[in-house]
Amino acid sequence: MKLTVTLLILFIKTLCIAQTIEDKNLSVQYKHALMKAPPVVQKFIEESYMGLISRYKIDTLNKKQFDPSKYNSILILDADTNIETKFESDAIELPMPWSAQGYISGDTLLINTGILMPGSTTKIYKGKTVTVWHEYSKYDKFFRLKINHKKVNEIFVPTQKSRLTLSNLHPKVGQTVYGKLELKTAPYLMDDYYFTNGYIHQQVDITCYFHFKLRKKDW
């Protein structure tokens, strides 16, 4: 883990700087976004001290290679009725829970968001902010930034645009911080059976709200 964090810090030094602003009333926006979730989701988020994602869009850049015949061949079997139905949509119901953790070490603030993978990692160092999108697979190597790149099981995707809003830009350990992150990744590739060329060329566009208690961490 220490090696991964070290490599990440070295990598994001080469990326474009994101916009970061302070809004001390961000907790009001967070609660307003939370009210749009179903009551059961609201309760879960509040009890587990999580955040939520209000926008999750995947732009497919190679739609012409999509093979609907393969997609529509997916069947879902109802165990109770033994009736098969076609899988018609991969839509994500929003808003949905989205976790965040914040760590500080010296003059570096690190914020991770997401539920397992995928997710985002933001580093704030000496007033400069960089965010990357993180995808991981334990066994399979099917991520690439470019078509001529070697496939990997873990990828840090640069963002084309990123805007981070925090309730406090200089929090202390133990304080609660509210945040809002808006990002759009650079294009990247992932193996996908439903495309004639064997992969999906995609960009991820998200907006999430979160809060965390800042913790101290030694890298």
Side-chain angles (χ1 to χ4, degrees):
M1 181 62 183
K2 288 184 177 180
L3 177 59
T4 300
V5 172
T6 301
L7 291 174
L8 173 60
I9 291 174
L10 290 174
F11 173 65
I12 63 181
K13 284 183 178 180
T14 67
L15 303 180
C16 61
I17 305 301
Q19 182 182 8
T20 305
I21 60 176
E22 183 177 80
D23 183 351
K24 294 187 180 299
N25 296 316
L26 192 58
S27 61
V28 177
Q29 292 186 41
Y30 171 86
K31 292 175 182 177
H32 179 72
L34 181 62
M35 292 299 293
K36 296 180 180 180
V40 64
V41 176
Q42 292 183 38
K43 183 179 179 181
F44 173 77
I45 289 175
E46 290 176 335
E47 290 179 349
S48 57
Y49 208 78
M50 295 184 71
L52 58 93
I53 186 164
S54 61
R55 174 182 174 84
Y56 195 121
K57 180 183 178 184
I58 299 178
D59 292 326
T60 305
L61 306 181
N62 60 332
K63 292 180 181 178
K64 291 183 178 180
Q65 282 75 48
F66 177 68
D67 186 348
S69 65
K70 293 182 178 180
Y71 188 75
N72 292 332
S73 67
I74 301 177
L75 297 176
I76 300 175
L77 178 65
D78 188 309
D80 296 323
T81 64
N82 204 36
I83 297 176
E84 290 183 335
T85 57
K86 288 185 178 181
F87 180 75
E88 300 292 350
S89 173
D90 60 350
I92 300 173
E93 186 175 352
L94 299 175
M96 70 176 187
W98 193 255
S99 68
Q101 303 85 36
Y103 306 96
I104 191 167
S105 179
D107 52 4
T108 300
L109 177 64
L110 192 69
I111 301 173
N112 297 320
T113 77
I115 299 179
L116 299 178
M117 290 295 157
S120 68
T121 296
T122 299
K123 175 177 174 283
I124 303 175
Y125 176 71
K126 292 185 177 181
K128 296 181 179 180
T129 304
V130 174
T131 298
V132 294
W133 184 250
H134 185 197
E135 295 253 23
Y136 171 77
S137 171
K138 186 174 181 179
Y139 301 106
D140 300 313
K141 295 182 179 181
F142 46 54
F143 300 113
R144 289 174 287 174
L145 282 178
K146 303 289 184 181
I147 188 64
N148 58 340
H149 287 188
K150 184 179 180 180
K151 295 180 184 181
V152 295
N153 71 318
E154 183 174 26
I155 190 171
F156 295 101
V157 184
T159 53
Q160 281 192 346
K161 64 177 183 179
S162 178
R163 177 185 173 95
L164 175 67
T165 305
L166 296 176
S167 58
N168 186 350
L169 291 180
H170 306 285
K172 296 180 180 180
V173 175
Q175 288 184 330
T176 296
V177 179
Y178 285 84
K180 177 183 179 181
L181 177 63
E182 303 161 90
L183 70 83
K184 186 171 185 178
T185 71
Y188 66 105
L189 289 73
M190 182 174 69
D191 287 358
D192 195 315
Y193 168 77
Y194 305 118
F195 290 79
T196 57
N197 54 7
Y199 63 83
I200 180 173
H201 194 199
Q202 65 182 18
Q203 286 180 282
V204 176
D205 188 348
I206 72 163
T207 298
C208 64
Y209 293 86
F210 56 84
H211 64 325
F212 56 78
K213 285 187 177 180
L214 187 63
R215 292 182 284 178
K216 184 177 181 180
K217 189 170 186 177
D218 297 322
W219 312 118

